[in-house]
């Protein structure tokens, strides 16, 4: 079975740092590999996307390959045909599959049955490429140490990927969220099993943010849950990343958001456009990290 990247814990700690090193060397232009030369990549998107779609397509082209954008209209994974059959058929045409969808089990199912690597471009459970690029961005801005990372807001796929990273990389992770919007319990347990990391779940935003090096937020209502927007806004209002809250963080903190942002809800303009914000570096690094992840998988 080829190596796939369905969640961050598919990589060991050493492999994560190998990918960061590849990313750094590709971004600086030191290396320019073409592991996708003469190959096509099926990019299946059953949810909307700006960053993930465009950065994968551009990255695939830069690695010498050809990206095929496929929506759910065409494949209807698990409906028109089984995940198994789709995996086997796609593997006869393409050298890699990138997929963004709802059910995480569709991605692990594809990875289990495909004869080519599968890369997760976001599921309801996790967003692994995002948080790999995010940590790479933190390393570009700060000297590495055991960072204090405060995630504020909905305990959804992005928060879950921070938990996965805490399973592999030592950090002090605080997730500030409402009792009704916690992250995934199994991923939390796995992160807590890494005794080099500490993981706190709190409904006190000030406790979460205290002396934090990194402040992170995400939309309060994710794709597929927009019908809960009003309810989530009420639950999460006090976790808004604004300049009053930022006073409790480290003086040299960086502020991150996976984007798209709902400005004025989970983050204010003055913070998003302020001196601590690295949101657009973060967005750029999606391109570099995904090129590194694809290259790493194709080298295995
Ligand atoms: N951050 C992110 O994945 O953005 P898109 O949903 O636009 O791809
Ligand atoms: N949690 C968000 C992330 C978007 C990149 C969502 O799933 O919609």
């Amino acid at each position: 079975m080829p190596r796939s990247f369905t969640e961050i814990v598919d990589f060991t700690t050493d492999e994560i740092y190998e990918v960061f090193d590849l990313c750094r060397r590709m971004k600086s232009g030191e290396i320019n590999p073409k592991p996708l030369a003469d190959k096509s990549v099926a990019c299946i998107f059953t949810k909307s996307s700006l960053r993930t779609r465009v950065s994968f397509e551009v990255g695939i082209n830069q690695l010498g390959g050809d990206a095929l954008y496929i929506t759910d209209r065409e494949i209807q994974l698990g409906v028109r045909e089984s995940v198994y059959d789709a995996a086997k058929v796609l593997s006869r045409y393409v050298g890699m599959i990138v997929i963004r969808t709802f059910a995480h089990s569709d991605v692990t199912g594809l990875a289990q049955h495909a004869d080519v690597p599968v890369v997760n471009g976001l599921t309801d459970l996790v967003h692994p490429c995002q948080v790999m690029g995010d940590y790479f961005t933190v390393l570009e801005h700060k000297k590495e140490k055991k960072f204090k990372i405060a995630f504020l807001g909905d305990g959804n796929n992005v928060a879950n990927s921070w938990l996965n990273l805490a399973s592999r990389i030592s950090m002090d992770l605080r997730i500030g969220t409402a009792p009704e919007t916690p992250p995934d319990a199994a991923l939390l347990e796995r992160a807590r099993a890494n005794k080099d990391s500490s993981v706190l779940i709190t409904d006190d935003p000030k406790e979460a943010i205290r002396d934090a090096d990194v402040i992170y937020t995400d939309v309060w209502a994710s794709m597929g849950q927009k019908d809960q927007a009003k309810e989530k806004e009420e639950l999460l209002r006090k976790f808004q990343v604004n300049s009053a809250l930022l006073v409790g963080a480290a003086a040299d903190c960086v502020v991150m958001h996976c984007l798209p942002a709902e400005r004025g809800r989970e983050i204010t303009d003055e913070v998003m456009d302020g001196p601590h914000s690295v949101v657009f570096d973060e967005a750029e690094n999606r391109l570099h990290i995904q090129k590194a992840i694809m290259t790493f998988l194709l080298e295995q």
Side-chain angles (χ1 to χ4, degrees):
M1 195 162 94
R3 291 289 299 275
S4 282
F5 187 60
T6 65
E7 54 178 328
I8 288 174
V9 290
D10 290 349
F11 289 167
T12 64
T13 305
D14 285 349
E15 286 173 341
I16 290 171
Y17 280 100
E18 203 178 314
V19 169
F20 289 154
D21 189 53
L22 257 179
C23 184
R24 185 186 50 75
R25 293 196 291 147
M26 289 169 113
K27 184 173 179 180
S28 69
E30 182 191 328
I31 55 169
N32 186 20
K34 304 283 177 198
L36 283 171
D38 301 323
K39 289 187 176 148
S40 295
V41 178
C43 299
I44 305 168
F45 281 77
T46 65
K47 287 176 174 171
S48 308
S49 176
L50 187 166
R51 280 143 292 273
T52 307
R53 176 182 176 184
V54 177
S55 58
F56 264 109
E57 290 198 10
V58 171
I60 288 162
N61 289 335
Q62 290 180 3
L63 296 180
D66 182 33
L68 307 170
Y69 177 63
I70 303 163
T71 69
D72 204 39
R73 271 176 58 117
E74 291 80 34
I75 295 193
Q76 297 175 42
L77 203 61
V79 177
R80 188 161 179 266
E81 61 191 310
S82 68
V83 171
Y84 176 91
D85 289 354
K88 289 298 175 198
V89 172
L90 283 171
S91 301
R92 300 292 176 106
Y93 304 137
V94 300
M96 183 175 279
I97 301 168
V98 173
I99 176 165
R100 161 171 288 199
T101 194
F102 294 86
H104 188 71
S105 57
D106 282 350
V107 177
T108 52
L110 266 185
Q112 191 184 343
H113 301 303
D115 304 307
V116 297
V118 173
V119 180
N120 182 351
L122 179 145
T123 61
D124 288 345
L125 184 68
V126 285
H127 194 4
C129 294
Q130 176 72 52
V131 172
M132 286 287 285
D134 295 337
Y135 198 78
F136 179 81
T137 308
V138 175
L139 294 177
E140 282 186 319
H141 284 272
K142 296 177 123 356
K143 200 164 166 320
E144 183 155 26
K145 61 168 184 165
K146 185 172 177 177
F147 295 115
K148 295 186 175 75
I149 297 177
F151 180 99
L152 295 175
D154 192 30
N156 203 346
N157 43 12
V158 176
N160 287 339
S161 286
W162 276 104
L163 285 173
N164 271 342
L165 193 68
S167 302
R168 289 286 183 262
I169 289 179
S170 156
M171 66 179 73
D172 175 353
L173 177 64
R174 304 88 172 268
I175 298 182
T177 193
E180 297 86 350
T181 55
D184 182 83
L187 301 193
L188 174 60
E189 194 181 321
R190 188 162 58 189
R192 284 190 165 146
N194 177 7
K195 296 301 171 202
D196 292 332
S197 286
S198 63
V199 182
L200 172 79
I201 311 291
T202 174
D203 67 354
D204 177 356
K206 287 197 176 126
E207 184 185 20
I209 214 167
R210 191 168 302 132
D211 300 326
D213 304 297
V214 178
I215 320 301
Y216 199 107
T217 191
D218 180 14
V219 287
W220 288 337
S222 287
M223 289 180 278
Q225 305 175 352
K226 295 295 181 195
D227 57 328
Q228 298 168 30
K230 203 164 174 292
E231 183 190 331
K232 296 244 184 177
E233 179 158 5
E234 268 155 35
L235 290 169
L236 296 169
R237 188 170 291 129
K238 71 175 176 181
F239 299 96
Q240 182 189 64
V241 176
N242 55 41
S243 42
L245 190 64
L246 228 57
V247 170
D252 63 347
C253 69
V254 291
V255 174
M256 309 185 83
H257 191 311
C258 53
L259 306 181
E262 293 195 20
R263 286 169 175 259
R265 283 206 167 84
E266 73 277 1
I267 191 165
T268 56
D269 282 338
E270 90 265 7
V271 173
M272 182 132 155
D273 301 323
H276 296 284
S277 173
V278 296
V279 298
F280 299 116
D281 292 346
E282 191 187 347
E284 178 190 332
N285 282 335
R286 294 292 305 282
L287 169 66
H288 307 297
I289 203 73
Q290 287 155 195
K291 285 172 68 183
I293 291 167
M294 289 188 280
T295 302
F296 176 83
L297 291 173
L298 291 161
E299 279 172 352
Q300 301 304 301

